[in-house]
Amino acid sequence: MLTLKNVYIARDHAPIIAPVSETINAGEVLALMGPSGVGKSSLLAYLSGTLPSGLSGHGEVTLEHLAIQDLPIEKRQLGLLQQSPLLFNHLTVEENLLFAYKSPESRFLRKQAIRSKLEEIGLEGLEHQLPQHLSGGQQARLALLRTLLAKPKALLLDEPFSKLDHSLRAEMRELVLDAIQKTQVPTILVTHDQEDADLMATRVYSLRSI
Amino acid sequence: MGFLGVFLPSFGIDPAAGSDQFTLTAWKQLFHSAEFWSGLSLSLFIGVVSTALSYWIATSLVIACFGSHWFDRLNTFIAPILSIPHVAISIGLIFLISPSGWLVRWFSPWLTGFERPPNWLIVQDPQGWSMILALVIKETPYLVFAIMAALSQLDARSRIQTAKILGHTTISAWHGTLLGPLYRLVRLPIMIVLAFSITVVDVALIIGPNTPSTLAVTLLRWFNDPSLMLRGQASAAAIVLACGVVCMMLLWEACYFIYDKLRKYVTLSGDGITNIRPLTWFSALVGSGIFLLTALTLIVLPIWAFAHRWRFPDTWPSQFSLNTISRLGQRLFELSMSSLSLALVSGFVALLISLVLLERERRFLQSKLVTTMMLFTVLMPQITLLFGIQVGLLWTGWNGNWWSVLLLHLIYVLPYVYLTLKAPYLAFDERILQQANLLKDSPIKNYLLIKLPLLKVSLSAAFALGFAVSMAQYLPTIMSGEGRINTLTTEAVARASSGDRKLVSSLALIQAFLPLICFYLATVMPKHWTTWRVALRRKFC
């Protein structure tokens, strides 16, 4: 369960969005909508700990009853999927996934697990490719798989489908929804596309500026 | 020509010495010389250790500062340090760390009990640690500068954030996602540092070991042997030194390859890199110490230059005076003018040649030949190349005048100016010049009045770098000047061991001060040039 209590973003101590208080239960998807520039992505950045300097975030964020807003990024156990897949181009597909897949299992078992996951999303046989040699759709799937392999306790989606064409977008939506159902993680989806919200969200929250 | 000039004499063919018989005597002599083997191992040891330390400290410092306001401050600190010559830093370091140096004075006698300088072998120690320290002080800022420039091409912030969101710590994120690609971008600066550290002469003469000396210093002595009997042996040693540099570069790459594989294995092992965190922070702390030492070396120089009486163990001089400066005023002025004229002319000529080469490259061909030649000059040991060129100069009888010194300065100034200017010059949006040519049919005038002023920031930065490179040249000046042309650098190196600290510090101070002024002007003037010009026009027109 991910809870936001009076969370808002400020610039020079002046709030730029109205405070948000919401609880997202396991497997739920909260769509965060609002006009461009209102601060949707900044809110996600505050949750993930990547807020750029110049902006400050306020309010309490709890994940499974643990306040995470002051924790370092790597301790928050959140997954973040953005427009750009942000893959590491100097590592192969398999190495990108190994980087995220932390487990006490042996390297051999982890590699086996990765190969079967790659098969599930239709990327079998590509484990030794470099990410820049994959298509846009393949890169998006790889980014999703990498995020899930880190076993996040909540998922933040920052317009992850906006760069994809229509057919790829539908395919990715399905994959992401399927992953959310399987892992039962609470999810926040930032989008300006009503179709994304209609097809994926359990609830929609309209963010207001001040 | 430079390479032939050492290759042929090593096999007995030396027209300048009047011999034309092919022989292997020089090589046999060289391999039987104990001084050669000890000098070679010392040179390789100092070069590799100082480069490895500089790289590790520079990387740790950048990791520690990245994402904080210290990162921008680091950038501001570094740029002026880069323009200060090695010689000035080495001399300042001696005044700081020697047994009678400032550091010991701070703690004497109240803590150490020393009423006289202790009998410690700190500078010119046989293992070369003081020389390693001097090289680390000078090379760490250069590598930090190179790393920071490379980071801007790698979208570093988002890489680190992505890795952290995936659960990696800062250190693990750096090692897993950035340091590998970063190394490919800073490989050339690292190789330049490695080649320089193995073959440097001036720093070695000032603060390096002398029982035995590094190979570069030893072979300089052999070359200058009045009997000319050792020239063949020196040429052979110069070739070995060049080969040693290449071998060390290959060894470095092999070691880095293994290190990178190991790092990747650990990063992808399931729990990331965690155990080198204390080492990284410690190295960053050492890096901060390096900057502090640099600042202290620059502070101690003017104190000595203006000291009238400074007895050990006093922390400060008992009296300050302008005696040294006024006593040596005429000599310092002559040396400054000599250095200034060479630096200004070589910087300006190198800028002109670079503009011609780059314009030719932009219009006709994207050839790698020029860049390769420039890199070859920078990476090739100065001592090897210059001896060859000197043989040529002697043969043509064109040695020992201002023009020959200028030519040799130009050989080393040009690559730096060209390589600095290349990226911004080729990135210039030519449509602006095309627009100017459409408006006014005078291409040359448009080039001078439109394109060059728009490139003024890059042009002045390249000129300032060329100026600093020329100011720091030691070997090219003594080899082509034959003692007739002296500069602040040659005089400072020659006097470094004289014991006249006031004179040496005055020389080093001016030597450090002139490039700093040039660097400052090159940074400030282009930014305000247009504002000043418009203000002047408003006032007088």
Side-chain angles (χ1 to χ4, degrees):
Chain A
M1 187 169 70
L2 178 66
T3 309
L4 282 64
K5 224 182 265 176
N6 288 322
V7 172
Y8 66 93
I9 304 297
R11 182 179 286 124
D12 301 330
H13 305 293
I16 56 169
I17 57 168
V20 179
S21 292
E22 279 289 328
T23 298
I24 306 114
N25 291 313
E28 271 188 356
V29 178
L30 175 76
L32 213 55
M33 299 193 73
S36 288
V38 73
K40 304 186 291 290
S41 295
S42 300
L43 186 68
L44 278 205
Y46 173 56
L47 301 184
S48 63
T50 57
L51 201 62
S53 57
L55 293 175
S56 58
H58 305 268
E60 194 183 56
V61 184
T62 54
L63 181 60
E64 294 183 354
H65 308 293
L66 173 73
I68 60 165
Q69 72 275 2
D70 296 323
L71 289 181
I73 304 173
E74 63 271 22
K75 302 268 186 220
R76 296 189 183 203
Q77 292 185 284
L78 293 167
L80 176 65
L81 211 55
Q82 293 165 291
Q83 281 179 22
S84 167
L86 295 173
L87 297 164
F88 306 128
N89 285 339
H90 67 297
L91 300 177
T92 62
V93 167
E94 186 178 67
E95 287 168 347
N96 261 278
L97 298 174
L98 274 173
F99 186 78
Y101 190 14
K102 291 186 169 184
S103 156
E105 289 167 2
S106 72
R107 201 178 175 87
F108 177 74
L109 286 177
R110 286 162 63 231
K111 278 189 176 182
Q112 267 197 335
I114 282 171
R115 286 189 189 185
S116 79
K117 298 269 182 201
L118 281 171
E119 230 175 275
E120 280 174 31
I121 58 162
L123 296 180
E124 66 275 12
L126 297 177
E127 54 270 23
H128 297 308
Q129 293 282 329
L130 288 171
Q132 61 267 42
H133 297 145
L134 304 182
S135 69
Q138 288 172 327
Q139 289 188 3
R141 276 181 278 162
L142 179 59
L144 171 67
L145 181 54
R146 190 181 65 174
T147 303
L148 295 173
L149 276 175
K151 300 189 188 91
K153 288 187 175 165
L155 209 51
L156 308 175
L157 308 174
D158 190 0
E159 304 200 32
F161 317 122
S162 61
K163 276 190 176 172
L164 303 175
D165 64 34
H166 195 71
S167 61
L168 276 177
R169 182 180 280 231
E171 186 192 320
M172 274 305 289
R173 264 194 216 117
E174 235 173 78
L175 269 175
V176 172
L177 263 180
D178 188 43
I180 294 169
Q181 293 309 318
K182 274 185 188 161
T183 53
Q184 284 294 300
V185 288
T187 302
I188 297 180
L189 165 71
V190 160
T191 182
H192 59 263
D193 186 341
Q194 191 60 49
E195 202 182 322
D196 283 346
D198 292 344
L199 292 171
M200 292 187 70
T202 324
R203 279 178 295 133
V204 174
Y205 185 95
S206 290
L207 206 60
R208 284 179 298 111
S209 60
I210 290 184
Chain B
M1 176 181 159
F3 193 71
L4 270 182
V6 286
F7 188 76
L8 295 178
S10 73
F11 291 101
I13 302 161
D14 188 355
S19 73
D20 54 1
Q21 289 285 310
F22 178 86
T23 162
L24 290 174
T25 315
W27 288 94
K28 284 179 192 159
Q29 269 179 0
L30 181 71
F31 292 136
H32 281 104
S33 159
E35 208 179 356
F36 161 72
W37 291 109
S38 48
L40 180 65
S41 55
L42 203 52
S43 291
L44 300 182
F45 170 75
I46 290 171
V48 171
V49 171
S50 61
T51 309
L53 283 175
S54 304
Y55 178 57
W56 180 262
I57 293 169
T59 312
S60 304
L61 204 57
V62 172
I63 293 176
C65 293
F66 189 76
S68 73
H69 60 278
W70 283 104
F71 193 69
D72 298 326
R73 287 188 191 171
L74 201 58
N75 215 349
T76 321
F77 279 138
I78 282 168
I81 295 176
L82 295 179
S83 67
I84 300 168
H86 286 80
V87 167
I89 294 274
S90 306
I91 289 171
L93 189 62
I94 287 183
F95 292 167
L96 201 63
I97 64 166
S98 66
S100 60
W102 208 21
L103 289 183
V104 175
R105 286 166 189 257
W106 283 0
F107 302 103
S108 301
W110 63 274
L111 185 66
T112 61
F114 297 145
E115 292 292 344
R116 287 172 166 209
N119 192 17
W120 294 341
L121 195 57
I122 298 177
V123 291
Q124 297 188 317
D125 57 302
Q127 292 78 26
W129 287 107
S130 53
M131 183 172 163
I132 288 173
L133 181 62
L135 289 169
V136 169
I137 286 180
K138 190 67 182 83
E139 304 306 350
T140 302
Y142 172 62
L143 290 179
V144 169
F145 178 77
I147 290 171
M148 288 170 102
L151 279 179
S152 61
Q153 297 175 43
L154 286 174
D155 196 9
R157 197 170 297 274
S158 72
R159 276 176 191 251
I160 297 290
Q161 280 183 356
T162 308
K164 282 182 156 188
I165 286 169
L166 292 171
H168 284 263
T169 59
T170 305
I171 303 294
S172 192
W174 271 88
H175 281 272
T177 69
L178 261 177
L179 292 185
L182 186 74
Y183 179 77
R184 272 167 232 142
L185 295 176
V186 296
R187 179 183 276 130
L188 177 64
I190 293 172
M191 292 303 155
I192 290 175
V193 169
L194 182 62
F196 177 83
S197 306
I198 293 173
T199 60
V200 64
V201 171
D202 47 13
V203 177
L205 279 169
I206 295 169
I207 200 167
N210 49 22
T211 52
S213 311
T214 59
L215 185 58
V217 172
T218 304
L219 71 94
L220 176 67
R221 208 184 63 240
W222 289 346
F223 262 108
N224 289 336
D225 190 78
S227 69
L228 299 183
M229 296 293 284
L230 296 171
R231 281 188 78 90
Q233 185 177 322
S235 298
I239 292 171
V240 173
L241 191 62
C243 295
V245 169
V246 175
C247 288
M248 284 303 112
M249 284 177 179
L250 294 174
L251 181 70
W252 177 280
E253 278 297 300
C255 290
Y256 190 83
F257 181 79
I258 295 166
Y259 169 67
D260 196 40
K261 286 277 169 211
L262 194 68
R263 176 169 62 195
K264 195 184 259 186
Y265 186 82
V266 176
T267 319
L268 306 180
S269 66
D271 35 304
I273 294 177
T274 49
N275 48 0
I276 58 164
R277 191 161 173 246
L279 182 61
T280 308
W281 297 132
F282 173 74
S283 307
L285 202 65
V286 172
S288 316
I290 294 288
F291 282 105
L292 184 68
L293 268 183
T294 312
L296 289 175
T297 56
L298 295 176
I299 292 169
V300 78
L301 287 178
I303 299 179
W304 264 114
F306 296 110
H308 180 63
R309 199 179 296 263
W310 194 1
R311 287 195 178 130
F312 191 89
D314 298 347
T315 310
W316 299 98
S318 52
Q319 271 180 299
F320 284 99
S321 83
L322 292 171
N323 280 0
T324 313
I325 302 285
S326 58
R327 173 170 58 94
L328 301 163
Q330 182 61 26
R331 182 75 184 132
L332 289 176
F333 180 77
E334 283 167 14
L335 290 168
S336 302
M337 285 302 113
S338 170
S339 293
L340 258 179
S341 61
L342 283 165
L344 286 172
V345 176
S346 59
F348 186 69
V349 174
L351 202 57
L352 282 181
I353 297 173
S354 300
L355 284 174
V356 172
L357 288 173
L358 287 169
E359 187 58 25
R360 182 177 155 272
E361 222 169 288
R362 189 192 69 74
R363 284 191 189 199
F364 305 113
L365 73 166
Q366 285 286 329
S367 157
K368 286 190 172 168
L369 182 70
V370 178
T371 309
T372 312
M373 289 287 291
M374 301 285 180
L375 291 178
F376 178 77
T377 313
V378 173
L379 289 171
M380 179 90 171
Q382 234 188 13
I383 202 155
T384 308
L385 196 65
L386 287 175
F387 282 135
I389 294 175
Q390 196 200 23
V391 169
L393 286 174
L394 286 171
W395 193 50
T396 53
W398 200 60
N399 215 22
N401 61 63
W402 189 85
W403 295 100
S404 60
V405 178
L406 177 70
L407 178 75
L408 260 61
H409 275 228
L410 203 51
I411 287 175
Y412 287 98
V413 172
L414 181 60
Y416 287 99
V417 173
Y418 172 85
L419 293 171
T420 311
L421 197 58
K422 186 172 179 172
Y425 190 89
L426 295 180
F428 180 78
D429 187 353
E430 283 299 315
R431 289 174 304 175
I432 298 171
L433 189 62
Q434 283 163 10
Q435 191 60 241
N437 287 338
L438 285 172
L439 294 167
K440 204 173 183 181
D441 182 23
S442 51
I444 294 175
K445 211 171 172 184
N446 289 338
Y447 180 83
L448 296 173
L449 293 179
I450 304 292
K451 185 166 178 174
L452 292 189
L454 284 172
L455 283 167
K456 59 182 179 290
V457 173
S458 312
L459 289 171
S460 13
F463 176 78
L465 181 66
F467 183 92
V469 170
S470 171
M471 284 294 297
Q473 293 305 315
Y474 171 71
L475 262 191
T477 317
I478 55 160
M479 296 196 74
S480 55
E482 290 181 338
R484 283 171 234 167
I485 310 289
N486 287 310
T487 61
L488 290 165
T489 305
T490 56
E491 193 74 3
V493 175
R495 303 278 188 152
S497 55
S498 68
D500 188 346
R501 289 191 166 190
K502 292 168 194 168
L503 165 68
V504 175
S505 57
S506 304
L507 289 164
L509 183 65
I510 301 172
Q511 198 216 11
F513 195 56
L514 291 178
L516 263 179
I517 293 177
C518 183
F519 174 82
Y520 177 75
L521 291 177
T523 317
V524 173
M525 278 182 66
K527 282 185 195 164
H528 300 289
W529 183 260
T530 309
T531 325
W532 290 342
R533 191 175 60 79
V534 173
L536 274 174
R537 178 159 285 197
R538 277 202 193 125
K539 197 165 183 180
F540 296 109
C541 299

